[in-house]
Amino acid sequence: MSDNDAKTNLNNLDANPIYLNRELSQLAFNRRVMALAEDKHVPLLERLRYLCIVSNNLDEFFEVRIASLLASSQIDGATIESSKLTAALERTSAECHQIVARQYAILNQSILPQLSAIGIHLLHHNDRHERQRAWIKSFFDQEIRPLLTPIGLDPAHPFPQVLNKSLNFIVEMAGKDAFGRNTTIAIIKAPRVLPRVIKLPDVLSPKGVSFCLLSSIIHAHIGDLFADREILSYSQFRVTRNSDLWVDEEEVKNLRQALQSELHSRQFGVAVRLEVAKNCPEHLAQFLLNQFSIAPNRLYAVDGPVNMVRLSEMIDQLPEPALRFAPFSPGLPAHIDNVDDIFTQLKKKDVLLHHPFQSFQPVVDFVRSAAYDAEVVAIRQTIYRTGMNSDLMESLIIAAQRGKEVTVIVELMARFDEEANINWADKLERAGAQVVYGVVGLKTHAKLSLVIRRERDKHGNGELRYYAHLGTGNYHPNTTKLYTDFGLLTSNQKLAIEVNEVFMHLTSLTRPKKMDYLWLAPFALQKEIIRAIRNEADIARQGRPARIIAKMNALLDESVIRALYSASADGVKIELIVRGACALRPGVPGLSENIRVRSIIGRFLEHSRIYYFRNDLQHDVYLASADWMNRNLFRRIEVAFPVLDNTLKRRVINEGLNPYLKDNTNAWNLTSDGSWDKCKPRRRQQVYSAQQDLMQTLGTQTRKIDPH
């Protein structure tokens, strides 16, 4: 393909739809997750958990993405044409309905029957025998009914406020109320303090274990709440609301206080989806749609609980190890196992950690050691997601209490983690730490930790020495066990000093100095990525081998995609491992025939971001906190950092890239039409799972499982 042909294809966007739809690509990721729920090689409770994950993903999809599209259609001068937006929402709605229908079909036709066959029962009212019904009745009277507040609707009792994603019931009654009026509709809100899944006593399930859903129990006893009224119909329902928090960061004087106030309003955002039971009468569903101003195509009548995520409570109450993934213990690099002094070790050699196959504990120990080390004078840390319980955060508090200079960049706008981050910010400030909330309008998403230590040089003079941790994932105790990520502990002074420059930039708000190692967004990251892509294209045009491999969660930035298309046209071999949404269309003749895109969906959530450029055998390897999305490149503080040690560089390639390129078990290939094809071993080809291989080589499994 000539350069002129490439330019024609790239510039004539109307004639060539070169980008795949973001929303449909995001939903396709959920279909790939849902495929694991159908995979007979996956343990049964894990299959149920994958269904719960899909439900949770769809919740967030509606709360954020659909809510954003709907909001954009109501803004004066919206950049998206009305007809295009309407068409996009209709296509998305149709796909969501198909996914939800398939979800409940898997639950009802496959997973629940298989669980029942081995003695694990989720009982409906008609399934319960008399003794079980008697126990349920007693449980309802003692534990549930006292907490319910049925609200009959009339002018004095208007439709109540309904919390985001809460469980509720609508009831239609015949006859007159106690005051002789024709009040026919009542609403019942299920308090969130009530468990959604209730385990029956073992004596009532001698041949297994039985559970009931809270919704099923309330359904069975709704009549008890309305004495002397005939119940005509009823249904559970749930409303999903816009949950993207917004504060005018340039107007507020204290972002933390403003955000605390906004958190409450999240529960009452604009309604974007209504879920009801499949047997909900049409007129009741329409009543609810009108009440919440929701379009009919965003009504979901489901064959089961309106919140499938709640079934995870049942999974957590079942101890059966045979129905779960094999227990897995992460390993440690041999040269830091049982090391007492992490700083002495880092002077000798950098440490690369590959989570969750290798433990996150060395990172926790790094900060804890710094907290107690008398030579450490300062600790600096970014926090995006860290959870409600965190040893690392406790160590930062201890360090501040011990008089060290502790600076923590807390991202208060980390979606759905705002409350936890506000709480940590408050605790840190009370301990004496300097807490900063990043840069107005930009989320601080970079994963950085810095320790400054006063040490003696060989002449006995005091000097400051820098130690750093840079990562691709969050400092979160749970996600580090479930997400694949890389982290680098280093005493490379040039690299660590640039980490310090990033912290200086975030606290002082001055423009950062030009950096030789770190690629920092929003200033240089996209530019450096495109420069590296174009460098490979230059090499290819000169007739030498050129190759790019990149692994990320999402690929949506149009400028980067255009650069990849141009590089493909110049002969660069490009292999992309994109877990979720991908707008690049691979394999199009004359446009992207040298580009292959695949996605890995397995036991662990693929979360690491790796950029590899062959660069005439220099093999440039960067690890990053950023996906190739516009928001990461321009609306966040992100850092990509090089792996400089050749041994560690080979590890990243051999652990983070090559295994995923040859995976034929958990891999899906993206086609030019936007569909995804599941990879299968070819004839006589050995079954290979990248994650399974890494668990065996880097960690310790206590029970062998099927490599599928």
Side-chain angles (χ1 to χ4, degrees):
M1 176 180 177
S2 68
D3 289 347
N4 289 335
D5 290 337
K7 290 182 174 66
T8 299
N9 279 342
L10 290 177
N11 293 327
N12 190 3
L13 297 186
D14 292 333
N16 286 283
I18 64 172
Y19 303 116
L20 297 172
N21 178 270
R22 172 178 179 168
E23 286 71 41
L24 294 180
S25 184
Q26 195 167 339
L27 290 172
F29 163 68
N30 284 294
R31 281 200 179 269
R32 299 196 295 279
V33 176
M34 193 161 59
L36 286 170
E38 299 185 79
D39 190 337
K40 64 181 181 181
H41 296 91
V42 175
L44 196 52
L45 288 181
E46 304 294 351
R47 291 171 61 187
L48 178 56
R49 195 181 298 279
Y50 281 122
L51 281 187
C52 295
I53 290 171
V54 172
S55 282
N56 190 67
N57 290 348
L58 288 177
D59 284 351
E60 185 170 340
F61 181 73
F62 275 92
E63 289 177 285
V64 178
R65 190 62 196 161
I66 295 299
S68 175
L69 290 176
L70 290 169
S72 69
S73 68
Q74 299 168 8
I75 297 174
D76 292 337
T79 57
I80 303 176
E81 293 181 20
S82 174
S83 60
K84 289 184 178 180
L85 179 59
T86 300
L89 286 169
E90 288 177 353
R91 291 198 308 271
T92 301
S93 176
E95 178 66 8
C96 285
H97 277 89
Q98 290 181 21
I99 290 174
V100 170
R102 185 61 192 152
Q103 233 190 321
Y104 283 88
I106 296 169
L107 177 69
N108 295 316
Q109 299 170 20
S110 178
I111 292 178
L112 290 182
Q114 290 184 58
L115 286 172
S116 183
I118 58 176
I120 300 172
H121 308 287
L122 185 62
L123 300 176
H124 299 289
H125 178 69
N126 292 335
D127 301 326
R128 301 194 277 264
H129 57 62
E130 287 304 317
R131 291 176 60 216
Q132 291 171 334
R133 291 183 182 183
W135 186 88
I136 290 292
K137 168 65 173 168
S138 176
F139 184 84
F140 175 81
D141 288 339
Q142 296 177 28
E143 301 292 336
I144 299 176
R145 181 172 181 167
L147 301 182
L148 299 181
T149 306
I151 300 174
L153 302 187
D154 68 5
H157 301 82
F159 200 98
Q161 285 275 37
V162 171
L163 296 175
N164 181 40
K165 298 187 297 185
S166 61
L167 175 62
N168 307 274
F169 301 85
I170 183 169
V171 183
E172 182 181 26
M173 298 166 289
K176 298 181 183 298
D177 64 21
F179 304 96
R181 298 173 303 180
N182 294 315
T183 55
T184 60
I185 300 294
I187 301 297
I188 306 167
K189 299 195 289 186
R192 289 187 165 173
V193 296
L194 291 172
R196 266 39 181 179
V197 179
I198 294 92
K199 182 178 179 293
L200 273 64
D202 293 341
V203 68
L204 297 178
S205 302
K207 296 183 179 180
V209 58
S210 297
F211 296 91
C212 289
L213 296 177
L214 175 66
S215 56
S216 173
I217 295 175
I218 294 178
H219 279 165
H221 298 283
I222 273 183
D224 297 353
L225 301 172
F226 302 94
D228 303 324
R229 299 295 298 273
E230 179 188 355
I231 305 298
L232 298 178
S233 57
Y234 54 83
S235 175
Q236 57 180 303
F237 73 90
R238 187 174 80 131
V239 174
T240 309
R241 298 180 179 275
N242 184 337
S243 296
D244 219 8
L245 298 183
W246 183 87
V247 294
D248 189 340
E249 295 172 279
E250 296 189 4
E251 293 294 328
V252 300
K253 295 182 178 180
N254 188 311
L255 178 60
R256 189 167 79 193
Q257 291 179 0
L259 193 58
Q260 284 175 313
S261 175
E262 185 71 10
L263 273 173
H264 177 71
S265 67
R266 165 182 278 169
Q267 301 294 340
F268 305 105
V270 174
V272 296
R273 176 181 60 169
L274 172 66
E275 295 165 282
V276 299
K278 73 168 186 177
N279 57 357
C280 178
E282 184 176 345
H283 66 282
L284 289 186
Q286 188 60 53
F287 174 83
L288 292 170
L289 288 173
N290 294 339
Q291 185 64 45
F292 297 112
S293 300
I294 297 176
N297 68 348
R298 283 180 274 122
L299 169 68
Y300 292 78
V302 300
D303 188 11
V306 292
N307 186 357
M308 196 183 291
V309 177
R310 292 295 193 173
L311 292 180
S312 61
E313 294 180 21
M314 186 174 80
I315 299 172
D316 295 339
Q317 294 183 62
L318 289 166
E320 284 78 357
L323 302 181
R324 302 175 184 275
F325 285 128
F328 169 72
S329 298
L332 282 173
H335 59 283
I336 66 166
D337 199 4
N338 298 320
V339 169
D340 293 329
D341 185 354
I342 186 66
F343 301 111
T344 299
Q345 176 59 41
L346 290 179
K347 287 179 188 176
K348 300 175 183 176
K349 184 186 296 186
D350 286 354
V351 173
L352 181 73
L353 297 168
H354 191 181
H355 316 300
F357 314 108
Q358 292 178 316
S359 175
F360 189 73
Q361 192 59 42
V363 182
V364 177
D365 293 342
F366 172 69
V367 178
R368 181 187 292 121
S369 296
Y372 287 99
D373 190 325
E375 307 303 320
V376 169
V377 294
I379 304 174
R380 291 168 182 168
Q381 178 84 44
T382 63
I383 292 297
Y384 190 73
R385 299 190 196 280
T386 190
M388 300 300 288
N389 301 303
S390 172
D391 290 342
L392 186 146
M393 298 297 284
E394 295 291 353
S395 292
L396 291 173
I397 290 172
I398 290 170
Q401 292 171 337
R402 291 173 66 88
K404 301 185 188 303
E405 189 67 25
V406 176
T407 304
V408 185
I409 315 294
V410 178
E411 179 48 67
L412 293 184
M413 298 290 285
R415 187 180 294 134
F416 304 123
D417 276 75
E418 298 94 346
E419 185 175 0
N421 287 1
I422 287 172
N423 291 337
W424 282 120
D426 182 59
K427 291 179 181 179
L428 285 161
E429 284 188 337
R430 283 191 277 112
Q434 176 67 55
V435 177
V436 180
Y437 304 134
V439 181
V440 169
L442 301 174
K443 289 187 179 182
T444 302
H445 195 244
K447 324 299 184 185
L448 303 172
S449 182
L450 182 74
V451 171
I452 303 177
R453 203 165 179 261
R454 188 176 298 282
E455 300 177 354
R456 297 288 177 184
D457 62 18
K458 60 183 179 181
H459 303 295
N461 300 318
E463 64 175 0
L464 294 180
R465 189 171 179 87
Y466 299 81
Y467 300 85
H469 173 265
L470 306 93
T472 68
N474 298 306
Y475 294 99
H476 194 295
N478 293 330
T479 59
T480 57
K481 300 173 184 176
L482 302 173
Y483 295 4
T484 69
D485 275 304
F486 276 97
L488 179 70
L489 286 163
T490 182
S491 66
N492 182 302
Q493 292 303 283
K494 293 180 179 179
L495 194 61
I497 286 172
E498 289 196 356
V499 171
N500 191 45
E501 286 297 323
V502 175
F503 279 105
M504 294 291 288
H505 158 63
L506 291 173
T507 56
S508 69
L509 304 182
T510 56
R511 190 174 183 87
K513 296 179 181 178
K514 185 179 183 304
M515 298 187 183
D516 297 320
Y517 297 95
L518 301 185
W519 296 351
L520 178 65
F523 301 100
L525 182 53
Q526 189 210 52
K527 179 177 67 176
E528 292 292 349
I529 291 169
I530 292 176
R531 179 197 58 75
I533 293 171
R534 288 175 176 169
N535 181 62
E536 291 298 312
D538 289 341
I539 291 170
R541 284 196 298 271
Q542 296 171 37
R544 300 192 302 278
R547 190 184 188 195
I548 296 170
I549 311 173
K551 185 173 185 288
M552 64 201 73
N553 300 327
L555 171 55
L556 297 170
D557 185 77
E558 293 186 3
S559 295
V560 173
I561 292 174
R562 284 172 173 270
L564 291 169
Y565 284 153
S566 290
S568 170
D570 288 322
V572 180
K573 299 298 180 183
I574 302 170
E575 295 171 288
L576 304 172
I577 306 164
V578 184
R579 184 195 77 206
C582 178
L584 182 145
R585 191 185 295 274
V588 178
L591 178 70
S592 57
E593 64 263 50
N594 287 317
I595 303 178
R596 180 169 69 128
V597 180
R598 56 173 26 207
S599 173
I600 306 295
I601 308 292
R603 172 173 177 172
F604 302 116
L605 184 74
E606 290 298 332
H607 192 253
S608 53
R609 292 90 165 189
I610 308 169
Y611 317 153
Y612 165 81
F613 306 95
R614 188 175 186 272
N615 194 16
D616 277 339
L617 296 179
Q618 291 188 48
H619 302 297
D620 297 336
V621 174
Y622 280 79
L623 300 173
S625 59
D627 297 312
W628 288 355
M629 301 173 66
N630 184 272
R631 74 179 187 190
N632 296 92
L633 302 178
F634 293 107
R635 300 198 301 277
R636 290 186 175 186
I637 303 296
E638 304 271 17
V639 167
F641 56 95
V643 180
L644 302 173
D645 181 275
N646 286 328
T647 299
L648 300 186
K649 188 183 296 187
R650 284 193 295 271
R651 270 196 59 199
V652 173
I653 296 169
N654 292 331
E655 295 175 18
L657 296 176
N658 289 339
Y660 295 99
L661 295 177
K662 67 179 184 179
D663 190 303
N664 58 22
T665 299
N666 297 315
W668 298 71
N669 288 327
L670 179 61
T671 66
S672 59
D673 66 2
S675 61
W676 291 86
D677 291 338
K678 184 71 161 42
C679 292
K680 296 180 180 178
R682 294 189 299 271
R683 188 178 181 184
R684 296 192 179 91
Q685 186 181 32
Q686 185 177 358
V687 172
Y688 180 77
S689 163
Q691 290 188 357
Q692 181 69 27
D693 182 38
L694 292 167
M695 281 192 287
Q696 292 174 341
T697 56
L698 297 180
T700 303
Q701 278 189 281
T702 59
R703 175 168 60 86
K704 185 177 176 60
I705 63 172
D706 191 312
H708 191 93

